[in-house]
Amino acid sequence: KVEQLRAVAEKHATEIARLVLAWYFTRPSIDVQIPGAKHPQQAVDNLKALEIILSQEDIEQISSIFSSQAG
């Protein structure tokens, strides 16, 4: 699953963790996100997820990756 996510992340020139945060922002069922940060710079880096514009195809692909049973 990580390799599948990596391909989408590379398409957006971002890290996998930031891509997943961007995907979380598209989920209406998620009310609150607490990605956690040990250092202030991590919090700033997490905010960069707001700059990622996911297409509907990206959203569906990531959703499919997370819903698939195979690793």
Side-chain angles (χ1 to χ4, degrees):
K1 291 183 181 188
V2 171
E3 290 306 315
Q4 292 173 309
L5 289 171
R6 187 180 323 280
V8 182
E10 288 175 356
K11 175 178 148 184
H12 289 279
T14 193
E15 299 173 7
I16 294 172
R18 198 172 295 142
L19 174 77
V20 173
L21 282 175
W23 177 77
Y24 283 152
F25 291 137
T26 71
R27 313 311 310 156
S29 61
I30 298 176
D31 293 334
V32 176
Q33 291 184 33
I34 305 174
K38 294 180 181 177
H39 306 287
Q41 187 58 44
Q42 287 176 317
V44 171
D45 289 342
N46 286 342
L47 287 174
K48 293 178 184 176
L50 294 171
E51 300 170 2
I52 300 170
I53 307 299
L54 297 175
S55 68
Q56 187 61 38
E57 181 181 335
D58 293 328
I59 294 167
E60 290 171 5
Q61 182 178 3
I62 295 167
S63 296
S64 176
I65 292 168
F66 282 128
S67 66
S68 70
Q69 296 298 314

